């Protein structure tokens, strides 16, 4: 039975952050696309904290935006606070983050999707997949409706056989107030996939009217806020809402320990793995027993709502234990709950079963994106959705896939880590995971990725033109510093004020600007620089780009050279269905791992856990290299 009279190019299952980006990407690259979700009213729901970005995650959002995705624009339009994190460190570590208005974020996402050509919507649970031999043929809904498609992207989040835990209570659900999804896991197992279980958690939501903010530490946004999107459709914030910070105490910890025997994590009812880098409060107390307090960030859920998110107090303890302990936190003495925190277990599929396109190795035309691959976080999910949507669309059109390399994007690092190494705990992106993070800065994501996205029709001509103008202006300013001289009489007063040695004779401005003590604001005090900037009407982004290119030129060149060296291994392709069992000189572990992962290049093979440099040498000799 079906009232769908067409075969879609791409069907996206799930309307979370991965599903939204996948649907937008597929539709915007010209594919007829259907987004099927259990509830159209909860599209792009921020089911955990009301924020986008952060360490490494902010770089991912900027990369999504540079490629024509929607997360950056939606974040800018619905932000209530902006912060650039790690400004005290080098630009490779700068990470943008916004506090979001939860309700407006979801509303804006839905409106943007509804304005996207080639995109249809349908509300119902997908309970199975239609197969056409060994390739995907579409989906089957819980009502038995068959919808045909040339490719399918699964972005099921925490809904696959989701089980919610609060203390000794448990019930099925994909998130608070929503049912879970059944049927898909069982069918995928029958098709030959491996699955596992993971868990994540969320803290209580509380009534802001019951809090005493005078006992907390205010956390305001940046004085001069920036934005995520490179496009001109959004503007930086002109007003912001502050967050607050408080601390737990030994008394709070003792009260929480009273409920450990009823915590599903400690009494053995939850056996799945949770996120190491975003642990529950009971996990923190247990693992860091020497700490007498932990930070809690009290985050408003929007411009107008009284609901607050207690970041740092994720828990699945009994609700009365949560309440009793939280009331001992400074400022929470009279707290009222909107809802208690909870943990959720769900099915995931080890991502070593995927290709770099995020297409499954078992079923042609079937793609996985988001938490189904074992990741955690809106940003990680959205980036996978973007790439799965792009590649599903390209495959249908019989065009070459788009695969981002590790030196091109954090998204490339994320996907390569998942495909090559797999994950046994919820994967979260960090700057430390990227060996080329000096190249993968948040400020140059458009330079790195917009040309690639423009070639496949995802980034608009306007985006490409704006990038060309910015690149030209930034390089012209760098050339100005390289060719314009400055005298000791003009420079020395500022040099001495900054505690750096004075000039003895005239020299090029780049020599002054390269000194670590000298900042862009100092250079703008020089008449020639000020006149040039005003004459050419240069904006903050151009000035920042020029400053980074001057001050970090040596580091950038060195890292680029290292990336180019390793690229030679990336260019050595491994034949399809390569039989590693024939290479008796390989270690047993290498043969086993390589046969399972099936890497496509020697470089990828070298990153597989358990594969040694000597194993790589054996492969190179065998392949005549």
């Amino acid at each position: 039975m079906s009232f769908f009279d067409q075969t879609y190019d791409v069907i996206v299952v799930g309307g979370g952050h991965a599903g939204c980006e996948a649907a937008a990407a597929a539709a915007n690259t010209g594919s007829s696309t259907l987004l099927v979700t259990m509830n159209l009213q909860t599209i792009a729901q921020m089911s955990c904290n009301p924020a986008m970005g952060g360490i490494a995650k902010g770089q991912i959002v900027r990369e999504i935006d540079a490629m024509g995705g929607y997360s950056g624009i939606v974040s800018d339009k619905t932000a209530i606070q902006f912060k650039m994190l790690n400004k005290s460190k080098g630009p490779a570590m700068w990470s943008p983050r916004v506090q979001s208005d939860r309700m407006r974020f979801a509303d804006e996402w839905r409106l943007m999707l509804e304005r996207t050509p080639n995109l249809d919507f349908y509300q119902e649970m997908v309970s199975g997949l239609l197969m056409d031999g060994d390739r995907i043929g579409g989906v089957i809904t819980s009502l038995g409706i068959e919808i045909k498609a040339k490719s399918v992207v699964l972005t099921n989040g925490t809904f696959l056989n989701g089980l919610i835990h609060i203390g000794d209570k448990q019930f099925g659900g994909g998130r608070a107030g929503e049912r879970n999804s059944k049927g898909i896991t069982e069918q995928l197992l029958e098709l030959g996939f491996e699955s596992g279980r993971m868990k994540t958690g969320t803290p209580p939501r509380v009534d802001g009217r019951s809090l005493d903010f005078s006992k907390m530490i205010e956390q305001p946004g940046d004085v001069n806020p920036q934005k995520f999107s490179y496009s001109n459709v959004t503007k930086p914030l002109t007003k912001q809402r502050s967050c607050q910070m408080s601390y737990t105490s030994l008394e709070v910890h003792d009260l929480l320990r009273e409920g450990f025997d009823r915590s599903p994590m400690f009494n053995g009812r939850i056996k799945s793995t949770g996120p190491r880098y975003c642990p529950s409060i009971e996990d923190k107390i247990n693992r860091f027993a020497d700490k007498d307090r932990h930070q809690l960030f009290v985050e408003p859920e929007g411009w107008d709502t009284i609901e607050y998110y207690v970041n740092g107090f994720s828990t699945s303890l009994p609700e009365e234990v949560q309440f009793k302990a939280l009331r001992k936190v400074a400022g929470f003495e009279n707290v009222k709950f909107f809802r208690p925190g909870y943990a959720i277990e769900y099915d995931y599929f080890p991502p070593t079963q995927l290709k770099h396109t995020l297409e499954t190795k078992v079923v042609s035309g079937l793609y996985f994106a988001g938490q189904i691959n074992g990741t955690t976080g809106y940003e990680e999910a959205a980036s996978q959705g973007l790439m799965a949507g792009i590649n599903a669309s390209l495959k249908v059109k019989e065009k070459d896939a788009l695969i981002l390399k590790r030196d091109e994007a954090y998204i490339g690092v994320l996907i390569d880590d998942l495909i090559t190494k797999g994950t046994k705990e919820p994967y979260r992106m960090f700057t430390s995971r990227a060996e080329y993070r000096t190249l993968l800065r948040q400020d140059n994501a458009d330079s790195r990725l917009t040309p690639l996205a423009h070639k496949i029709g995802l980034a608009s001509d306007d985006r490409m033109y704006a990038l060309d103008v910015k690149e030209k202006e930034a390089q012209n300013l760098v050339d100005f510093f390289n060719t314009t001289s400055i005298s000791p009489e003009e420079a020395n007063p500022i040099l001495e004020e900054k505690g750096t040695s004075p000039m003895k004779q005239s020299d090029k401005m780049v020599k002054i600007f390269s000194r670590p003590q000298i900042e862009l604001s100092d250079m703008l005090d020089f008449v020639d620089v000020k006149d040039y900037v005003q004459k050419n009407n240069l904006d903050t982004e151009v000035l920042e780009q020029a400053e980074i290119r001057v001050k970090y030129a040596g580091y950038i060149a060195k890292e680029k050279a290292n990336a180019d060296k390793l690229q030679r291994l990336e260019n050595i392709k491994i034949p399809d269905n390569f039989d590693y069992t024939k290479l008796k000189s390989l270690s047993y572990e290498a043969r086993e791992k390589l046969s399972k992962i099936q890497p496509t290049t020697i470089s990828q093979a070298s990153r597989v856990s358990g594969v040694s440099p000597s194993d790589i040498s054996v492969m190179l000799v065998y392949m005549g290299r």
Side-chain angles (χ1 to χ4, degrees), residues 75-233:
S75 296
D76 286 342
K77 286 186 174 183
T78 60
I80 64 175
Q81 184 193 94
F82 181 95
K83 274 190 174 183
M84 184 67 77
L85 306 180
N86 281 342
K87 280 292 282 186
S88 62
K89 301 180 180 178
M93 304 299 288
W94 298 352
S95 301
R97 181 184 189 271
V98 297
Q99 199 69 30
S100 302
D101 186 309
R102 182 190 300 276
M103 290 181 283
R104 294 183 186 182
F105 184 92
D107 287 346
E108 185 62 34
W109 249 115
R110 175 160 174 169
L111 291 173
M112 288 195 71
L113 289 174
E114 288 183 358
R115 292 192 289 263
T116 300
N118 305 316
L119 181 56
D120 293 342
F121 303 87
Y122 189 61
Q123 176 174 297
E124 205 193 326
M125 183 175 81
V126 170
S127 56
L129 303 172
L130 284 175
M131 296 298 297
D132 181 7
D134 62 353
R135 63 164 293 111
I136 200 71
V139 300
I140 308 169
T141 73
S142 57
L143 291 178
I145 297 172
E146 297 185 355
I147 313 173
K148 293 184 179 179
K150 298 172 184 175
S151 63
V152 170
V153 182
L154 293 183
T155 68
N156 302 80
T158 59
F159 282 76
L160 289 180
N161 293 320
L163 188 63
I164 291 174
H165 298 265
I166 303 176
D168 43 22
K169 304 178 182 73
Q170 64 182 67
F171 48 91
R175 59 180 164 228
E178 297 183 63
R179 60 178 175 156
N180 58 13
S181 172
K182 296 181 179 293
I184 292 178
T185 294
E186 293 73 16
Q187 184 179 3
L188 290 174
L189 292 176
E190 288 177 7
L191 290 168
F193 287 89
E194 298 175 30
S195 76
R197 294 283 279 178
M198 282 189 178
K199 76 174 177 72
T200 189
T202 191
R205 308 303 201 272
V206 301
D207 188 334
R209 297 172 301 182
S210 66
L211 304 179
D212 185 352
F213 295 118
S214 68
K215 296 181 178 180
M216 303 182 196
I217 304 165
E218 185 179 9
Q219 303 288 299
D222 287 350
V223 175
N224 296 306
Q226 300 178 39
K227 61 192 187 82
F228 271 122
S229 182
Y230 291 99
S231 70
N232 57 10
V233 300

Side-chain angles (χ1 to χ4, degrees), residues 428-586:
R428 181 179 179 182
M429 178 51 72
F430 288 100
T431 51
S432 59
R433 296 191 190 274
E435 58 269 49
Y436 306 117
R437 54 185 175 273
T438 303
L439 302 180
L440 308 183
R441 307 181 310 276
Q442 59 83 31
D443 62 90
N444 71 346
D446 55 345
S447 303
R448 292 183 276 119
L449 299 176
T450 297
L452 297 176
H454 184 254
K455 283 182 182 178
I456 61 171
L458 192 56
S460 66
D461 291 341
D462 288 344
R463 281 287 187 103
M464 199 61 211
Y465 175 76
L467 172 61
D468 289 340
V469 170
K470 174 184 162 184
E471 288 285 297
K472 184 178 179 181
E473 289 179 340
Q475 191 54 49
N476 286 344
L477 182 53
V478 172
D479 294 341
F480 171 81
F481 288 126
N482 282 322
T483 57
T484 306
S485 297
I486 189 167
S487 67
E489 292 76 22
E490 186 179 4
N492 284 343
I494 289 177
L495 297 181
E496 290 169 3
E497 181 187 335
K498 289 290 183 175
T500 182
S501 58
M503 295 172 61
K504 295 181 179 178
Q505 60 186 32
S506 294
D507 208 340
K508 301 302 180 187
M509 282 190 175
V510 71
K511 296 285 187 66
I512 300 299
F513 201 4
S514 297
R515 298 189 185 189
Q517 301 90 343
I518 302 302
E519 299 176 353
L520 177 64
S521 57
D522 301 315
M523 298 301 294
L524 291 173
D525 286 338
F526 299 134
V527 174
D528 287 349
V529 178
K530 187 185 296 181
D531 288 347
Y532 182 92
V533 170
Q534 290 177 347
K535 177 184 174 183
N536 292 280
N537 194 28
L538 302 183
D539 63 23
T540 304
E541 275 197 14
V542 170
L543 297 177
E544 185 182 79
Q545 270 295 298
E547 180 177 22
I548 291 169
R549 291 182 190 187
V550 168
K551 297 184 81 65
Y552 297 90
Y555 297 103
I556 293 169
K558 184 177 180 180
E559 197 152 282
K560 184 72 170 67
N562 288 337
D564 289 343
K565 284 180 186 176
L566 287 174
Q567 187 60 37
R568 291 201 290 269
L569 290 180
E570 202 69 62
N571 291 332
I572 303 176
K573 304 294 183 185
I574 300 173
D576 291 341
N577 302 315
F578 189 85
D579 188 358
Y580 294 96
T581 60
K582 290 182 178 178
L583 274 64
K584 302 303 180 185
S585 299
L586 285 180

Side-chain angles (χ1 to χ4, degrees), residues 212-410:
D212 185 352
F213 295 118
S214 68
K215 296 181 178 180
M216 303 182 196
I217 304 165
E218 185 179 9
Q219 303 288 299
D222 287 350
V223 175
N224 296 306
Q226 300 178 39
K227 61 192 187 82
F228 271 122
S229 182
Y230 291 99
S231 70
N232 57 10
V233 300
T234 63
K235 303 295 180 188
L237 289 169
T238 54
K239 64 173 184 174
Q240 302 185 70
R241 279 200 76 177
S242 290
C243 298
Q244 305 290 330
M245 185 173 70
S246 191
Y247 291 91
T248 62
S249 64
L250 290 176
E251 182 182 15
V252 173
H253 298 176
D254 288 340
L255 288 170
L256 290 168
R257 284 192 186 96
E258 290 179 9
F260 276 13
D261 62 328
R262 296 171 62 199
S263 167
M265 185 179 73
F266 287 100
N267 64 21
R269 206 166 67 240
I270 290 182
K271 294 183 172 63
S272 47
T273 309
R276 184 193 312 185
Y277 305 104
C278 187
S280 65
I281 188 66
E282 53 263 44
D283 214 2
K284 283 190 277 191
I285 293 170
N286 190 50
R287 284 166 51 190
F288 307 108
D290 57 318
K291 301 285 186 183
D292 57 8
R293 67 176 190 171
H294 294 285
Q295 287 180 334
L296 299 180
F297 291 96
V298 188
E299 302 174 342
E301 298 263 352
W303 283 114
D304 307 312
T305 182
I306 59 171
E307 187 175 359
Y308 277 74
Y309 178 92
V310 190
N311 196 340
F313 205 85
S314 175
T315 181
S316 59
L317 287 166
E319 60 273 27
E320 69 272 17
V321 176
Q322 298 181 33
F323 183 71
K324 187 177 177 182
L326 199 53
R327 280 209 155 186
K328 294 298 181 181
V329 173
F332 284 79
E333 292 83 359
N334 299 303
V335 70
K336 294 180 180 178
F337 274 23
F338 270 29
R339 75 163 193 247
Y342 64 87
I344 182 167
E345 281 189 287
Y346 54 93
D347 294 337
Y348 86 104
F349 290 81
T352 51
Q353 299 171 100
L354 304 177
K355 302 175 184 178
H356 272 83
T357 58
L358 297 180
E359 183 183 23
T360 68
K361 296 172 183 175
V362 176
V363 177
S364 177
L366 178 63
Y367 296 75
F368 291 171
Q371 284 179 282
I372 192 173
N373 289 336
T375 60
T376 181
Y378 308 145
E379 302 83 0
E380 289 88 342
S383 67
Q384 292 171 70
L386 175 83
M387 298 309 297
I390 288 171
N391 283 313
S393 179
L394 291 174
K395 177 160 186 167
V396 166
K397 297 176 182 300
E398 299 183 348
K399 294 182 178 179
D400 291 339
L402 178 62
I403 297 171
L404 301 178
K405 297 191 288 291
R406 294 182 73 92
D407 63 337
E408 288 180 321
Y410 271 91

